[in-house]
Amino acid sequence: MRYLCLVCFDGNELNTIDAETWKQCQVDSAAYDEKLLRSGHMVHAEALQSIETATTVRVRNGKLSATDGPFAETKEQVAGFILIEAADLNEAIRIAGGIPLARIGSVEVRPVMDFKSGLG
């Protein structure tokens, strides 16, 4: 089953991390991504640009609107994602716990809807 691991940070806290810690986190993340690839758990991963680059799109009554910024106003922002294959939620949580960025942020694990098997 596929799980999406949303990597989130508090934007204010992210600005307080020293350069060496941030660099080590990036090195550890690349190594962990490679480990997930070799084990067959990695489907895809991407980092996202800052929330200042986000645009929120809505369609109401057939009219499209686009506004600057993220939809939710929270201290945390989605900074990236890793789509993984895991046997179950427990394995997905174990894998998410190994994501190095979980040490300075958080990782939300969410099962992906499987429309092919009629679960959606």
Side-chain angles (χ1 to χ4, degrees), residues 66-88:
T67 55
D68 292 340
F71 172 74
E73 291 188 25
T74 66
K75 289 195 312 186
E76 288 198 331
Q77 55 185 283
V78 177
F81 67 88
I82 301 175
L83 182 62
I84 61 170
E85 284 281 354
D88 55 29

Side-chain angles (χ1 to χ4, degrees), residues 30-88:
Y32 193 65
D33 286 355
E34 186 61 35
K35 179 180 175 182
L36 291 178
L37 275 171
R38 284 193 309 271
S39 68
H41 289 97
M42 171 75 75
V43 176
H44 191 78
E46 295 286 347
L48 301 176
Q49 294 189 20
S50 72
I51 60 170
E52 286 80 18
T53 64
T55 301
T56 300
V57 174
R58 295 179 179 85
V59 177
R60 299 290 185 271
N61 299 319
K63 292 187 177 182
L64 183 141
S65 69
T67 55
D68 292 340
F71 172 74
E73 291 188 25
T74 66
K75 289 195 312 186
E76 288 198 331
Q77 55 185 283
V78 177
F81 67 88
I82 301 175
L83 182 62
I84 61 170
E85 284 281 354
D88 55 29

Side-chain angles (χ1 to χ4, degrees), residues 1 17 42 75 78 115 117:
M1 182 168 189
I17 296 172
M42 171 75 75
K75 289 195 312 186
V78 177
F115 291 105
S117 66

